[in-house]
Amino acid sequence: VAPGELTIVTGVPNSGKSEWIDALLCNLNHHEGWRFALCSMENKVPEHARKLLEKHIRKPFFNA
């Protein structure tokens, strides 16, 4: 991952690619101040926002 470059992540279905990418984006934002725009065709906006918030605050959004 480098500024100005395209990074492609591939893998088998249900292997955690989206979760990994979300965590990567949150970590790059936290440590490097990078900003991102997201389009996730597999997650509804409220659900994806919750997942990103959990990663950002490093805590579950809801108690299980």
Side-chain angles (χ1 to χ4, degrees), residues 11-48:
V12 297
N14 295 315
S15 62
K17 296 177 299 293
S18 295
E19 289 291 323
W20 186 84
I21 290 169
D22 286 350
L24 175 66
L25 300 183
C26 285
N27 287 329
L28 285 171
N29 173 260
H30 178 76
H31 295 291
E32 305 296 330
W34 288 16
R35 296 180 184 184
F36 299 91
L38 298 174
C39 177
S40 176
M41 304 311 260
E42 60 194 34
N43 290 307
K44 293 181 180 174
V45 173
E47 180 69 14
H48 199 194

